[in-house]
Amino acid sequence: MKPQATFADPVLITTTAALAALCERLATEAYVTVDTEFMRERTYFPELCVVQLGGARDVAVIDAQAPALDLAPLGALFANPGVVKVFHACRQDIEIFLLKFGAVPTPIFDTQVAAMVAGFGDQVGYDTLVSSLAGGSIDKAHRFSDWQARPLSPAQITYAAADVTWLRLVYEALRERLVRESRIDWVAEEAAILNEPGTYRTDPADAWRRLKLRGANRRQLAIVQAIAAWREREAMRINIPRQRVIKDEQIPELAALAPTDAEGLTRVRGITRGFAEGKSGQALLAVIATARALPERDLPQLPRVNDAAKPSPALVALLKVLLTERANANHVAARLIASGDDIDTLAGDTPANLPCLTGWRADVFGTDALRLKAGKIALAAKGRRVEVIEIG
């Protein structure tokens, strides 16, 4: 039987005094549901517009852009270890609060992670959980609303409040199921990752890794790394999306041409003379010049491509079959147990200290994966099912 939905009317919070009173009441509760509305289309960092909080008796929509509103009481509530902060798909929300308060809210419960543990599949949608666990539906009409426009409309306030009211019922249903199935500790392991500030911070030195590179030599790779890091820092400094500084596809072309002056810079597709001759263009040229001047010994090594060292595709396929079988048998999302990269590493000669080889993941999959590699178990088809067979 699904829980009965009885919700308080939402209250719009626009003053520090009202926020402080709300957070004081919520600090006495076991958990509070949290959501945000933000804009990021024109900025590097997310612009917080609205924070929604749901308690046993309170449903509040906080206008984070209200004049003179101090969010410090909210920061204190998020730092309160006695109140669980419940989110759905929390990473972007947590990034915002880490930037705002300098700390990750604690403790955290993410219903998307919990749903993956409870057998709802990979990255299950919030509306699916609301329908399955609470018998409700989410109005999507304002999902792409302009949350920076003021005043907030009554329809926007109602939409925003619904997210945290239904989330209470979803949380209670998931937690009850996980406790009953002795899986609540599985969610806690994932929460440890979400509680780590480094999860949300971008290192400009690693920005090049998201690019698709083909045929680069060591010198070109050094220039790519330098440009990508510069772009990341520049986007942060100006607070604009990184693609508005220079686009991904322009970086390999810049590395190949390695221009030395503004005229050469304009030969790269999409780079205007105004940019090339301006402050940003000159800074970019300086970055390229520094990378061009690196001595050979300081150039980065190219990623190794050694077909002989690659694991057998057949073994990778077998491990994926085993993963799927174990995930289905245990009603848990396969992606939560092991990623594709984990499987590739596991199929190699010397598996690293992979998450799937420790804790509950080892019990569900990791131990049998090693036994499959060692020839101690086999996989066999039986009708429409795959079974694990003991060999010895």
Side-chain angles (χ1 to χ4, degrees):
M1 182 177 179
K2 291 183 174 64
Q4 196 68 28
T6 54
F7 303 143
D9 292 331
V11 174
L12 180 64
I13 301 290
T14 59
T15 68
T16 303
L19 177 60
L22 169 70
C23 291
E24 185 177 354
R25 293 193 300 273
L26 293 177
T28 66
E29 301 195 16
Y31 72 92
V32 59
T33 52
V34 188
D35 193 24
T36 66
E37 306 297 341
F38 60 91
M39 303 290 285
R40 201 172 195 166
E41 287 79 3
R42 296 184 294 272
T43 60
Y44 180 91
F45 298 106
E47 298 288 324
L48 180 62
C49 302
V50 171
V51 181
Q52 304 98 285
L53 297 178
R57 296 171 299 280
D58 292 284
V59 179
V61 175
I62 303 165
D63 182 356
Q65 298 190 350
L69 175 66
D70 186 352
L71 291 175
L74 183 63
L77 176 65
F78 285 165
N80 186 336
V83 182
V84 176
K85 272 62 73 172
V86 180
F87 297 83
H88 180 81
C90 72
R91 287 184 180 244
Q92 291 193 87
D93 299 320
I94 298 303
E95 179 189 0
I96 291 171
F97 294 133
L98 178 60
L99 289 168
K100 185 70 65 176
F101 302 122
V104 174
T106 185
I108 294 170
F109 187 100
D110 189 324
T111 56
Q112 185 179 72
V113 172
M116 292 168 71
V117 172
F120 282 87
D122 290 353
Q123 294 182 313
V124 61
Y126 180 57
D127 48 355
T128 299
L129 291 181
V130 169
S131 175
S132 300
L133 297 174
S137 62
I138 297 296
D139 179 6
K140 300 179 182 179
H142 292 277
R143 179 165 291 183
F144 301 107
S145 180
D146 182 359
W147 291 100
Q148 289 182 313
R150 292 296 181 273
L152 294 169
S153 70
Q156 283 179 306
I157 294 170
T158 299
Y159 166 85
D163 281 344
V164 290
T165 49
W166 286 112
L167 189 55
R168 291 185 63 83
L169 301 183
V170 169
Y171 166 69
E172 290 173 356
L174 280 173
R175 194 178 191 286
E176 179 184 351
R177 179 181 299 194
L178 293 170
V179 169
R180 184 173 65 247
E181 296 176 354
S182 300
R183 294 189 177 189
I184 199 72
D185 289 343
W186 297 15
V187 179
E189 286 188 30
E190 291 302 305
I193 299 172
L194 297 173
N195 276 310
E196 174 53 50
T199 301
Y200 311 95
R201 289 179 175 145
T202 299
D203 184 351
D206 292 330
W208 68 277
R209 298 184 185 278
R210 66 168 58 92
L211 302 172
K212 295 180 180 179
L213 304 177
R214 294 183 180 88
N217 57 41
R218 292 177 65 199
R219 179 71 60 187
Q220 289 173 349
L221 179 57
I223 298 174
V224 164
Q225 291 177 348
I227 295 173
W230 170 82
R231 180 181 70 164
E232 205 72 20
R233 291 192 297 268
E234 189 74 356
M236 291 179 183
R237 183 182 70 81
I238 307 173
N239 194 23
I240 62 173
R242 62 176 67 88
Q243 295 282 357
R244 287 182 56 186
V245 181
I246 51 175
K247 298 185 182 301
D248 284 355
E249 58 268 24
Q250 291 173 321
I251 295 179
E253 190 172 351
L254 282 163
L257 294 177
T260 59
D261 55 25
E263 184 65 32
L265 200 53
T266 61
R267 296 181 184 277
V268 176
R269 288 172 294 178
I271 292 187
T272 65
R273 185 166 296 277
F275 175 90
E277 294 178 349
K279 183 178 178 180
S280 293
Q282 294 305 301
L284 175 56
L285 286 169
V287 164
I288 294 172
T290 299
R292 290 178 72 230
L294 282 174
E296 193 76 18
R297 65 178 180 275
D298 293 337
L299 294 177
Q301 295 298 320
L302 294 172
R304 292 183 179 179
V305 180
N306 183 356
D307 290 338
K310 287 184 177 180
S312 160
L315 177 56
V316 170
L318 275 176
L319 288 168
K320 288 181 177 179
V321 171
L322 176 65
L323 174 61
T324 301
E325 189 279 329
R326 287 307 193 210
N328 291 339
N330 288 276
H331 307 291
V332 59
R335 190 179 66 84
L336 195 63
I337 302 172
S339 67
D341 288 343
D342 290 342
I343 295 295
D344 288 342
T345 302
L346 186 60
D349 291 334
T350 54
N353 184 25
L354 296 171
C356 65
L357 298 180
T358 62
W360 66 268
R361 292 176 177 82
D363 296 336
V364 170
F365 167 72
T367 300
D368 277 344
L370 294 178
R371 295 178 70 218
L372 179 65
K373 283 188 62 180
K376 295 182 178 180
I377 61 173
L379 301 176
K382 187 174 183 179
R384 297 183 177 182
R385 298 173 53 224
V386 171
E387 291 188 351
V388 176
I389 299 173
E390 295 287 339
I391 296 177

